[in-house]
Amino acid sequence: AQSVTQLDSQVPVFEEAPVELRCNYSSSVSVYLFWYVQYPNQGLQLLLKYLSGSTLVKGINGFEAEFNKSQTSFHLRKPSVHISDTAEYFCAVRGYNNDYKLSFGAGTTVTVRA
Amino acid sequence: EPEVTQTPSHQVTQMGQEVILRCVPISNHLYFYWYRQILGQKVEFLVSFYNNEISEKSEIFDDQFSVERPDGSNFTLKIRSTKLEDSAMYFCASRIIGAYEQYFGPGTRLTVT
């Protein structure tokens, strides 16, 4: 079984400032990792995923994340945020086995202020 | 761009009533899922469905829940006799064969009174 911890429930940030959202996971097997974003009144949209290979993955809207196996982390970053990045962000994990379900973190609400 | 759709967006029902939540997955996707998010809590897996049968279900998915693909496009979640604690946002997701990512619908907010 897998579990995900998102260390920050709320992150306020000023426009054009950088942001980092922290995600740690635990698993007895190797994992695939995902970040989803939920804009107000919308569904979950995939931002990026880590499957294998390069530990730095780039996603949509200028986001990137780095997989760190030794620290079991998958932190999400953006160097310069916009007002439109205001949303809730979810880290999710899936095991390498045939366990196709996603396990989600509790979410981090990012509020971007002018 | 194709997307998962869900209806209704908001459903209010009385305790003990049956509800059916509807989803239309992306057309060439063959794996389907239901998740739920109780207010203030994590998104939780309920059930996965492939080839017209349940492939995995969580302990939440008890006998009060059922899923069905009644035709070639819809995927439904039925709650037979709703309880107050079933109040949540219910998300449908689908996945194409060979891919790892799931695509989510906008959710149905179920309120049981």
Side-chain angles (χ1 to χ4, degrees):
Chain A
Q2 291 78 43
S3 69
V4 178
T5 302
Q6 291 184 241
L7 297 158
D8 308 293
S9 59
Q10 303 213 17
V11 174
V13 57
F14 285 106
E15 194 174 19
E16 297 182 10
V19 70
E20 178 180 80
L21 308 185
R22 296 179 292 167
C23 171
N24 286 89
Y25 68 92
S26 66
S27 175
S28 55
V29 300
S30 296
V31 295
Y32 303 114
L33 293 150
F34 307 85
W35 275 98
Y36 284 85
V37 60
Q38 185 178 30
Y39 298 107
N41 301 314
Q42 295 187 31
L44 297 167
Q45 180 182 359
L46 181 68
L47 266 182
L48 47 77
K49 61 184 183 242
Y50 173 77
L51 305 180
S52 64
S54 173
T55 57
L56 182 65
V57 290
K58 295 189 184 296
I60 61 171
N61 302 341
F63 284 92
E64 63 181 32
E66 185 149 24
F67 170 57
N68 187 318
K69 188 174 182 179
S70 62
Q71 296 188 4
T72 59
S73 68
F74 189 53
H75 300 334
L76 180 72
R77 301 185 188 100
K78 185 169 181 177
S80 176
V81 295
H82 303 292
I83 299 287
S84 58
D85 292 320
T86 294
E88 188 156 19
Y89 293 80
F90 294 93
C91 182
V93 64
R94 200 211 99 181
Y96 261 31
N97 52 17
N98 281 334
D99 185 6
Y100 291 113
K101 66 178 183 284
L102 294 174
S103 297
F104 283 85
T108 298
T109 300
V110 173
T111 304
V112 182
R113 300 168 182 163
Chain B
E1 186 176 328
E3 56 186 24
V4 178
T5 59
Q6 290 185 243
T7 53
S9 57
H10 191 189
Q11 173 95 45
V12 181
T13 189
Q14 288 189 327
M15 197 167 48
Q17 296 297 303
E18 174 183 287
V19 293
I20 296 176
L21 309 183
R22 290 182 166 77
C23 168
V24 179
I26 295 173
S27 64
N28 59 343
H29 289 194
L30 296 179
Y31 292 88
F32 313 118
Y33 307 83
W34 283 101
Y35 293 79
R36 78 172 185 190
Q37 185 182 29
I38 295 171
L39 191 63
Q41 298 185 24
K42 291 185 177 185
V43 176
E44 304 170 288
F45 167 78
L46 291 178
V47 65
S48 61
F49 189 86
Y50 170 70
N51 200 24
N52 280 320
E53 60 183 28
I54 290 173
S55 45
E56 188 175 359
K57 60 183 181 180
S58 71
E59 60 275 10
I60 302 167
F61 195 88
D62 61 22
D63 292 345
Q64 293 299 311
F65 291 88
S66 62
V67 289
E68 192 179 27
R69 188 155 164 80
D71 53 43
S73 59
N74 288 284
F75 179 52
T76 61
L77 174 70
K78 182 193 291 186
I79 309 175
R80 204 181 330 274
S81 176
T82 50
K83 308 184 198 63
L84 293 176
E85 53 266 36
D86 293 327
S87 293
M89 181 73 89
Y90 287 80
F91 292 106
C92 173
S94 67
R95 178 174 69 85
I96 198 169
I97 287 181
Y100 298 93
E101 62 271 25
Q102 297 173 22
Y103 291 86
F104 285 77
T108 292
R109 180 166 299 284
L110 176 65
T111 303
V112 183
T113 61

